[in-house]
Amino acid sequence: MSVDDGHYRPTYNDIHKLIGNSAKKIRDEFKPDLFVAIGGGGFYPARVMRTFCKTPGRKNIPIQAIGLSLYEEMGTEDSTQEKLGKEIVRTQWLDFSTLGKMSLLGRRILIVDEVDDTRTTLAYAISELQQDLEKQLAALPEEKRKTIPKTEFAIFVVHNKLKEKAASLPSDIMYFSGEDLGDVWVDYPWEMLDIDKHEELAAAQKKLRAEQQS
Amino acid sequence: MSVDDGHYRPTYNDIHKLIGNSAKKIRDEFKPDLFVAIGGGGFYPARVMRTFCKTPGRKNIPIQAIGLSLYEEMGTEDSTQEKLGKEIVRTQWLDFSTLGKMSLLGRRILIVDEVDDTRTTLAYAISELQQDLEKQLAALPEEKRKTIPKTEFAIFVVHNKLKEKAASLPSDIMYFSGEDLGDVWVDYPWEMLDIDKHEELAAAQKKLRAEQQS
């Protein structure tokens, strides 16, 4: 395997630090009180984000997991649907039986995933969460509604690929990425069968890049 | 901070390899078709376990996340309840709206967490899943019931602490741990604010242990 094969190979420690750096900004600028991790890729970043957003002496910020898969990833042949919602399959959603039926109201919700590639999954997640929120708001009497602070959503992804996106996000949503990339293939450490080989290639690539820049 | 402070410091790569080694056994001996990750600690191990249990050309094994917290961790003062169920708070449960109401029947379910300390959380998870299973079985006519293979549960934890446990598991449940430990404090990498320092201390401890053993 050539080192210069176009794959980008962040190590666990690289990603841990990217999350730590973003967490400073996110705590200052957004102050989340609920994480929504998009599984499976968002599970690990959300867990680390919780560490960096923890205020000593206060409770952990809760993580709710949701599962979303693109149809094509599920081996279904018909992936030509035009509507965004139809391309995506929910495998798990927020648990309102434990979170409470009014649980989104007034919250500051950070949605966490590993990579923003086509943006399809993120746009779906935001749109569905906002629909849930509208339903929760509509169930309240108007006077009550006025007393509730605006629910805010933000997004954190470890990597954002700077490329044309298939979907867009509402303009009032804060967006944080650990690192912006070109349209490269990212080898995440949690996907690797041989983690020593991954680290070795990652180190060789870093050395090569440093040499090319000097 | 002394190196010999009694904390055990696995690195990300250490844990990744522990999971890889266990996965071989788990694939051979249990063959899971559903992972249940106990959040937040089980999120990362479940994601890596999925990588190592993936059969090329076949779909990923799905991960469902559940959230369980001990009362004491939630800052509630009354943690003296005698009943197991009362010590634990569900923050998220399986999503039967997407998983299907009969979803547990005939499945081979691997429950994943980071550490088996007092065993309380694991025993609760198994007991509640088995109750859900009983309900799903009871909803079927008897002839149908006979055609369904036995639902199997197994447990995987990255670390099992060899200590007196506050709860026990049913005897027919397979149990896998990445590594057995004494009753030591484990510093997980995803809990660390300074990952470089963590790696440094971990390396120094490994060196010290190697010297002590030689």
Side-chain angles (χ1 to χ4, degrees):
Chain A
M1 199 187 303
S2 158
V3 166
D4 205 7
D5 60 358
H7 287 222
Y8 181 61
R9 295 188 173 81
T11 66
Y12 278 120
N13 290 3
D14 291 338
I15 293 173
H16 188 99
K17 288 178 203 173
L18 284 180
I19 297 171
N21 288 338
S22 297
K24 279 182 210 138
K25 246 176 105 80
I26 289 170
R27 267 164 39 205
D28 288 351
E29 296 175 18
F30 184 67
K31 300 182 182 59
D33 60 20
L34 177 66
F35 298 132
V36 173
I38 302 180
F43 284 171
Y44 163 70
R47 178 63 192 82
V48 178
M49 185 56 81
R50 182 163 88 177
T51 293
F52 283 105
C53 286
K54 166 102 176 156
T55 308
R58 296 190 59 182
K59 279 193 232 175
N60 278 321
I61 297 174
I63 302 174
Q64 283 267 319
I66 61 174
L68 298 174
S69 295
L70 294 176
Y71 262 130
E72 48 242 285
E73 289 173 1
M74 300 190 74
T76 309
E77 281 162 32
D78 181 13
S79 61
T80 55
Q81 289 95 339
E82 281 177 32
K83 283 185 75 183
L84 180 66
K86 290 202 172 168
E87 288 171 4
I88 292 191
V89 182
R90 285 187 186 191
T91 57
Q92 183 164 24
W93 197 246
L94 301 181
D95 187 347
F96 293 118
S97 75
T98 61
L99 205 53
K101 283 190 178 169
M102 296 292 137
S103 54
L104 297 180
L105 301 178
R107 290 268 202 171
R108 308 187 61 82
I109 301 163
L110 185 71
I111 299 166
V112 178
D113 206 352
E114 63 187 351
V115 63
D116 177 357
D117 185 33
T118 62
R119 199 157 280 174
T120 311
T121 311
L122 288 168
Y124 177 86
I126 286 276
S127 147
E128 296 289 297
L129 287 169
Q130 282 186 326
Q131 283 176 43
D132 285 348
L133 173 69
E134 290 306 317
K135 275 183 218 148
Q136 293 182 3
L137 269 178
L140 293 182
E142 185 159 355
E143 295 109 74
K144 188 78 198 283
R145 220 177 297 165
K146 283 187 233 158
T147 65
I148 294 171
K150 186 166 179 286
T151 304
E152 302 282 354
F153 294 95
I155 283 171
F156 170 70
V157 288
V158 177
H159 294 111
N160 176 30
K161 292 189 186 173
L162 301 172
K163 60 187 276 190
E164 203 178 321
K165 304 291 187 181
S168 58
L169 300 169
S171 57
D172 60 339
I173 297 226
M174 293 183 83
Y175 184 96
F176 303 90
S177 82
E179 192 176 25
D180 291 338
L181 300 175
D183 193 9
V184 295
W185 187 275
V186 187
D187 286 351
Y188 285 101
W190 46 86
E191 293 169 347
M192 297 297 113
L193 295 175
D194 186 340
I195 196 70
D196 288 333
K197 188 77 194 163
H198 178 76
E199 291 266 337
E200 207 179 284
L201 287 168
Q205 282 183 326
K206 272 181 201 154
K207 194 159 165 263
L208 194 68
R209 247 177 292 150
E211 283 167 6
Q212 283 166 348
Q213 279 168 6
S214 68
Chain B
M1 200 186 303
S2 158
V3 166
D4 205 7
D5 60 359
H7 287 222
Y8 181 61
R9 296 187 172 82
T11 66
Y12 278 120
N13 290 2
D14 291 337
I15 292 173
H16 188 99
K17 288 178 203 173
L18 285 180
I19 297 171
N21 289 338
S22 297
K24 280 181 211 140
K25 246 175 108 76
I26 290 170
R27 267 165 37 205
D28 288 350
E29 297 175 18
F30 184 67
K31 300 182 183 57
D33 60 19
L34 178 66
F35 298 133
V36 173
I38 302 181
F43 284 170
Y44 164 69
R47 179 62 192 83
V48 178
M49 185 57 79
R50 182 163 88 175
T51 293
F52 282 105
C53 287
K54 165 102 176 156
T55 308
R58 295 191 59 183
K59 280 192 229 176
N60 277 321
I61 297 174
I63 303 174
Q64 282 267 319
I66 61 175
L68 298 174
S69 295
L70 294 175
Y71 262 130
E72 47 242 284
E73 289 173 0
M74 299 190 75
T76 309
E77 281 163 31
D78 182 13
S79 61
T80 55
Q81 290 95 338
E82 282 176 31
K83 283 185 74 180
L84 179 66
K86 289 201 172 169
E87 288 172 4
I88 293 192
V89 182
R90 284 187 186 192
T91 56
Q92 183 164 24
W93 197 247
L94 300 181
D95 187 347
F96 292 118
S97 76
T98 61
L99 205 53
K101 282 189 177 169
M102 297 292 137
S103 55
L104 296 180
L105 300 178
R107 289 268 203 172
R108 308 188 60 82
I109 301 163
L110 184 71
I111 299 167
V112 179
D113 206 352
E114 63 187 352
V115 65
D116 176 358
D117 186 32
T118 63
R119 200 156 280 174
T120 311
T121 310
L122 288 168
Y124 176 87
I126 286 277
S127 147
E128 295 289 297
L129 285 169
Q130 282 186 327
Q131 282 176 44
D132 285 348
L133 174 69
E134 290 306 318
K135 274 184 219 148
Q136 294 182 2
L137 270 178
L140 293 182
E142 186 158 353
E143 295 110 74
K144 187 78 199 282
R145 222 177 294 165
K146 284 187 232 155
T147 65
I148 295 171
K150 184 166 180 286
T151 304
E152 302 282 356
F153 294 96
I155 283 171
F156 169 70
V157 289
V158 178
H159 294 111
N160 176 31
K161 293 189 186 172
L162 300 172
K163 61 187 275 190
E164 203 178 324
K165 303 292 186 180
S168 57
L169 300 169
S171 57
D172 61 340
I173 295 221
M174 294 183 83
Y175 184 96
F176 303 90
S177 82
E179 193 176 24
D180 291 338
L181 300 176
D183 193 10
V184 295
W185 187 275
V186 187
D187 286 352
Y188 285 100
W190 46 85
E191 292 167 349
M192 297 297 113
L193 295 175
D194 186 340
I195 196 70
D196 287 333
K197 187 77 193 161
H198 178 75
E199 291 265 335
E200 207 179 284
L201 287 168
Q205 281 183 327
K206 272 180 203 155
K207 195 159 165 261
L208 193 67
R209 249 178 290 151
E211 283 166 6
Q212 284 166 345
Q213 280 167 8
S214 68

